[in-house]
Amino acid sequence: MRSYYSTIQKLQIAVGEFRGKYAFLNWFKYTLGADQLTVFGEQQMINSGIVFYNRYKALAKHRTPFIRASGQDRVVESARNFSQGFHQAKTADRTPDENYPYSILVIPEGEGYNNTLDHGLCTEFEDAVAYSSIGSEAQQTFLATFLPSVIDRLNRDIPSANLTALDIVNLFDLCPFTTVASLSGAVSPFCFLFSLDEWKHYDYYQSLGKFYGYGAGNPLGPTQGVGYVNELIARLSGEAVSDHTTVNHTLDDSDDTFPLDEALYVDISHDNDMTSIFSALGLYNSTGSLSNTSIQSPDAAGGYSAAWTVPFAGRAYFEKMACAGVDEELVRIVVNNRVIPIQRCGADRLGRCTLAKFVQSMDFAIAGGRWDMCFAQK
């Protein structure tokens, strides 16, 4: 976040007076913190809890979800806000809710902690340039295809600014960040500094960062989501977790901290970890290598886009259902209200697989992904 402050300070020192669409920079002050959940973000999570209750009302009316959160402050606060929304919807449904405020299991983050909601254990993925720089390298290559003209345009508009590539990316970033910092969610004036075509390029720039940084474009990206997928298999099948990657067995081997008989589970994590989990599930296996020199639309990319998969307050539902006329239990996955057909288990026209075929199709996760590549040989 220091970089955003530096860009704004640089502009305000270099330019005597901003005019036209840049005039707001005369009085703008950057005040966002790195671990700060905005009021707008809080409301998004409250809304998410309300939507969850109403979507699963038949299950939720007389039950409390089992909730886990990764240990970062804003993630824990997101879990509390989700709980608040769930509670609001439940009481609006004229249902007593003596269990509120709900218990939240917080899984610590940091070196040495096994945590399926926060990557960090696989040292090759975290530290080795061969893996940790793939996302940023793809982004830098793509920036060279469109950013020079943007730099030229803004430097003509603000002659004394001497804006660099980093400054321009910061100004792009400040559009969504300052929009959600608004109490009303009003669109930030930063958003109007760029054209629609430039925004399409920025959108794809973000997709490259997620895909090659944490998704299938990184040889170790999907492996970071394997532990969570094995927990999901355990919950769906009602059997103990089998995993040798990121699962915290102190927690998961206990019925108190990893129950297998709940109807509703809620896990709050990070966008990067969600990307790895989606990849470990194989949700976007039809997405080939994304071009780093030209834009591929989400449709051309097999449905993959960072904006489609991990927007602010992004969510995924993993549903197990029993349906009339079907002998076996079925599994369906919904990502931000889009049903994502599970590709390797013979999904039907509604995107569902039988539970047995779903589990069978998770052979990558069951085998531990590429966890054997995570630690360099001494």
Side-chain angles (χ1 to χ4, degrees), residues 124-134 137:
E124 285 293 287
F125 177 76
E126 302 296 334
D127 303 326
V129 174
Y131 303 107
S132 63
S133 66
I134 296 175
E137 288 174 357

Side-chain angles (χ1 to χ4, degrees), residues 175-346:
C175 162
F177 288 149
T178 55
T179 293
V180 298
S182 165
L183 295 180
S184 63
V187 177
S188 167
F190 282 103
C191 303
F192 300 103
L193 301 184
F194 304 101
S195 69
L196 177 60
D197 184 67
E198 289 165 351
W199 278 116
K200 289 179 179 178
H201 281 77
Y202 172 81
D203 173 66
Y204 189 68
Y205 164 84
Q206 294 295 342
S207 292
L208 288 173
K210 297 302 182 191
F211 182 80
Y212 286 107
Y214 301 92
N218 188 307
L220 287 177
T223 296
Q224 310 316 304
V226 159
Y228 186 87
V229 174
N230 285 327
E231 290 182 328
L232 177 63
I233 291 170
R235 286 171 168 175
L236 291 171
S237 62
E239 298 178 357
V241 180
S242 177
D243 179 81
H244 64 274
T245 65
T246 59
V247 161
N248 185 323
H249 281 284
T250 301
L251 298 176
D252 284 16
D253 291 349
S254 168
D255 291 337
D256 293 331
T257 48
F258 196 82
L260 295 173
D261 57 354
E262 298 289 341
L264 298 169
Y265 300 91
V266 175
D267 294 319
I268 311 294
S269 181
H270 303 272
D271 55 353
N272 293 335
D273 299 281
M274 291 173 68
T275 299
S276 293
I277 289 165
F278 296 160
S279 298
L281 286 162
L283 297 188
Y284 301 98
N285 279 355
S286 64
T287 301
S289 297
L290 296 184
S291 171
N292 60 10
T293 57
S294 61
I295 294 175
Q296 289 177 249
S297 69
D299 288 335
Y304 183 81
S305 160
W308 284 21
T309 56
V310 287
F312 289 144
R315 59 186 182 270
Y317 299 139
F318 305 105
E319 302 174 331
K320 183 171 76 168
M321 61 189 75
C323 300
V326 181
D327 293 334
E328 300 179 73
E329 292 178 313
L330 301 173
V331 175
R332 183 173 69 170
I333 298 176
V334 182
V335 177
N336 301 313
N337 295 333
R338 290 183 175 90
V339 174
I340 309 297
I342 310 165
Q343 297 173 13
R344 295 184 58 235
C345 57

Side-chain angles (χ1 to χ4, degrees), residues 161-175:
N162 194 28
L163 292 166
T164 65
L166 176 59
D167 291 325
I168 299 298
V169 172
N170 285 343
L171 293 175
F172 271 114
D173 288 348
L174 284 168
C175 162

